Amino acid sequence: MTRRILTVVAVACALATLVLGLVFAGGRSPSSLDAAAASGVSSLGHGLLNTLVLPTEPYVLLPAIAVIAGTCLYRRRRADALLAVAGPAVAVALNTWVLKPLFDRWKDGTLVYPSGHTVSLVTVLVVLVLLARWKAPAAALGVVLLGCAAVGMIGLGYHYLTDIAGGTFFGTAVVTGLRAVTPRRAPVPSGG
């Protein structure tokens, strides 16, 4: 992706995070959309829901980040390794310490907008898509994982659907924004 496209995606996703956050700022109850989503997954079993949220867990995501960064370092792609580590770290820190207190949306005594589970997962998935040779299959896998995790988070009562949407927008904004400003090596011309 070109820097211009990355910048447009980052700005659009940041604005979507902000607008959605302002709509639900200070809220303590679900919207009609949130309630419909919760109703739609209410019949699923607890064991299945726990399995669906596994991709959002630190014990899954931290090793994934280490493998991605290690592979990039092995291939001498230091800027990509930095993106793999900094993207999730910056997004999670900003989400936890700035956005959640700023938007002040609560569910069961916990700040929930944007969803930290979602920010963690989406940042890793966006890094994978940006670094993947075959972007379409990587993006498709990301959509499936995010969809499954969303069902699990809603079914277990961790988040409202709108929290997950906000986390998706914010995680995408941070990683694409960092990628847009990260200097990359120019390709080496062939000798023949």
Side-chain angles (χ1 to χ4, degrees):
M1 280 191 187
T2 67
R3 287 183 195 270
R4 176 173 281 162
I5 291 171
L6 289 166
T7 301
V8 168
V9 170
V11 169
C13 287
L15 287 173
T17 305
L18 177 63
V19 169
L20 194 58
L22 290 174
V23 168
F24 295 103
R28 293 192 167 30
S29 59
S31 69
S32 57
L33 177 64
D34 295 326
S39 175
V41 300
S42 64
S43 64
L44 297 175
H46 196 72
L48 173 61
L49 295 171
N50 278 325
T51 301
L52 292 175
V53 298
L54 282 176
T56 70
E57 297 293 345
Y59 57 82
V60 172
L61 292 172
L62 290 173
I65 292 167
V67 168
I68 296 165
T71 301
C72 291
L73 289 173
Y74 176 77
R75 294 182 176 174
R76 294 191 167 105
R77 294 168 43 190
R78 288 183 290 243
D80 293 345
L82 179 61
L83 179 70
V85 174
V90 168
V92 168
L94 287 173
N95 188 60
T96 302
W97 300 107
V98 178
L99 293 186
K100 283 190 176 200
L102 177 70
F103 291 118
D104 193 38
R105 186 179 196 195
W106 294 83
K107 183 176 192 326
D108 301 328
T110 304
L111 288 170
V112 291
Y113 182 88
S115 161
H117 289 87
T118 306
V119 169
S120 300
L121 175 61
V122 167
T123 54
V124 174
L125 293 174
V126 173
V127 166
L128 280 172
V129 170
L130 290 174
L131 300 182
R133 182 172 289 155
W134 298 288
K135 295 192 184 317
L141 174 63
V143 167
V144 169
L145 284 174
L146 178 58
C148 290
V151 168
M153 288 185 283
I154 293 166
L156 292 171
Y158 292 179
H159 288 285
Y160 298 123
L161 177 61
T162 48
D163 304 330
I164 295 165
T168 300
F169 289 133
F170 184 66
T172 303
V174 171
V175 175
T176 56
L178 287 174
R179 181 67 168 187
V181 300
T182 302
R184 282 171 265 166
R185 258 190 325 186
V188 178
S190 68

